[in-house]
Amino acid sequence: MNFRTGLAAGAGGALAVLSVRRLGRRALGGVVQRLEKRLERAVRDLTAKAEQGGPLVKAALAGAKALSEGKSPFRALLSFGWTALKETLARIFGRGRRGKLTNIVEQTDIGAPRRLVYDQWTLFQEYPSFMKKVESVDQAGETKLNWKAKVFWSSRTWESTITEQVPDEHIVWRSKGPKGHVDGTVSFHELTPNLTRVLLVLEYHPVGLFERTGNLWRAQGRRARLELKHFRRHVMTRSLTRPDEVEGWRGEIRDGELVTPPK
C-alpha cells in the first residue's frame, strides 16, 4: 500500500468514526427528548390531578417538577417528602382557617426605676439590637409600627396600632398581618424606687399552617418570655449605665389619637 492509498484509508476511517459519533449523539438526543416529553406529560397529568388528589399526589407533582427543572434526584426526593408532610399536616389542621386564640401572660421584675424602664420600652426601633427574632421595626407614625420578625427559616411582617399609651403606666395596641396578629397590653408597676415590674398580656390569633401548629406547642408564649428576658438584660446592662441617653417617647394616646404631644 502506497502513501496515497494509506492516507485515503485513514481519512475514510476517521470519517466513519465521526459518522458513528454523530449518529450516537442524534440517538442520545432523541432519547433525551423522548424522556423530557414523558416527564412533561407526567407533570401535566399530576397537575390536573393535584387539585382533587391527596398529599401523595401533590408530593409526586413536587418531585416531578423538581426533576423537570433540572434538579438532582436527591433534591426531587426532598421536594416529595417535604410536600407530603406539609399537605398531610394541612389536612389534619385545616387550611387557611384561623387558629384558636391563645392568651399569653408574662411578667418580669427589672432592677431599674419605672421611668427608665418605660422610656426604654418605647424605643421600638432599638429592639432588633437586643431581641433575638425581631429583624426590624419601622415607626410609620406616632401610633403606627411596622414589624418584621424571624420565624424558623422565614420572616413574618405585621402592622401594629397603638390605641392607648399613658407614660410610665401602660401601652395598648392592636395589630394585623397576613399570618395572624397579636393584640396586647404592657403595663409598668413600681415596686420600689429602683425595682419595676413589667406585665405583658397578649392575645395571639394564628393564621396559617405553621402558626397553628406552633400554637399547639405554645411556641409564641415561649418566644414572648424569652424576648422579655432579652429586654430585662438590655435595661440592666445598657440602659442603667447610661440613663441620660435613654430618651423615650412620652406622648399620650387615647382611642388611637394623640391627645398630649411628647414633652
Side-chain angles (χ1 to χ4, degrees):
M1 181 175 65
N2 60 28
F3 175 75
R4 292 181 179 177
T5 304
L7 182 62
L15 289 173
V17 171
L18 289 175
S19 298
V20 170
R21 288 181 178 176
R22 291 194 187 99
L23 289 173
R25 284 197 295 269
R26 289 176 183 174
L28 181 61
V31 171
V32 171
Q33 288 179 355
R34 287 195 295 273
L35 288 175
E36 288 178 345
K37 289 180 180 179
R38 289 181 183 178
L39 188 57
E40 289 175 359
R41 286 197 297 270
V43 170
R44 287 197 299 268
D45 292 341
L46 285 171
T47 301
K49 296 176 181 178
E51 291 300 322
Q52 302 299 326
L56 291 181
V57 174
K58 294 180 180 179
L61 174 60
K65 281 185 175 180
L67 287 175
S68 68
E69 292 170 358
K71 295 181 181 179
S72 67
F74 177 73
R75 294 289 298 276
L77 183 61
L78 286 180
S79 297
F80 174 89
W82 171 245
T83 303
L85 175 62
K86 184 172 64 175
E87 292 298 327
T88 300
L89 290 175
R91 286 200 165 198
I92 294 173
F93 297 112
R95 187 191 304 273
R97 297 199 302 264
R98 292 185 177 274
K100 182 180 178 181
L101 165 69
T102 298
N103 293 306
I104 301 169
V105 179
E106 296 292 339
Q107 69 178 44
T108 186
D109 294 341
I110 303 175
R114 180 170 67 166
R115 182 185 177 105
L116 177 62
V117 174
Y118 171 84
D119 284 348
Q120 182 62 67
W121 187 278
T122 64
L123 299 178
F124 304 109
Q125 291 173 310
E126 291 186 7
Y127 283 14
S129 67
F130 59 85
M131 289 188 175
K132 187 175 182 180
K133 294 298 184 179
V134 179
E135 293 185 336
S136 66
V137 184
D138 175 34
Q139 187 137 14
E142 292 168 326
T143 63
K144 300 288 185 180
L145 295 164
N146 295 314
W147 298 75
K148 182 178 181 181
K150 194 76 173 177
V151 178
F152 296 106
W153 52 83
S154 61
S155 296
R156 297 287 186 268
T157 59
W158 68 93
E159 179 189 82
S160 62
T161 302
I162 297 175
T163 59
E164 185 165 308
Q165 183 167 349
V166 180
D168 301 328
E169 292 188 13
H170 61 264
I171 302 172
V172 183
W173 70 90
R174 298 290 179 265
S175 66
K176 59 181 180 180
K179 292 295 183 177
H181 64 278
V182 179
D183 300 334
T185 299
V186 59
S187 58
F188 307 85
H189 309 269
E190 183 179 275
L191 303 180
T192 71
N194 291 307
L195 183 61
T196 303
R197 174 165 295 170
V198 178
L199 178 61
L200 183 66
V201 180
L202 305 174
E203 288 185 349
Y204 176 51
H205 303 259
V207 174
L209 174 62
F210 287 112
E211 282 70 17
R212 295 195 304 275
T213 306
N215 199 34
L216 293 177
W217 301 326
R218 300 285 177 171
Q220 292 298 327
R222 291 195 297 271
R223 173 52 50 196
R225 187 181 312 121
L226 182 58
E227 298 293 26
L228 200 55
K229 289 181 178 179
H230 287 320
F231 175 77
R232 180 178 62 190
R233 175 181 53 80
H234 182 76
V235 172
M236 297 296 295
T237 61
R238 297 290 188 273
S239 310
L240 202 58
T241 61
R242 52 177 183 84
D244 294 338
E245 299 178 14
V246 180
E247 297 181 3
W249 194 87
R250 303 192 63 80
E252 185 172 344
I253 298 171
R254 299 281 186 180
D255 297 324
E257 300 290 337
L258 180 66
V259 296
T260 304
K263 299 177 181 178

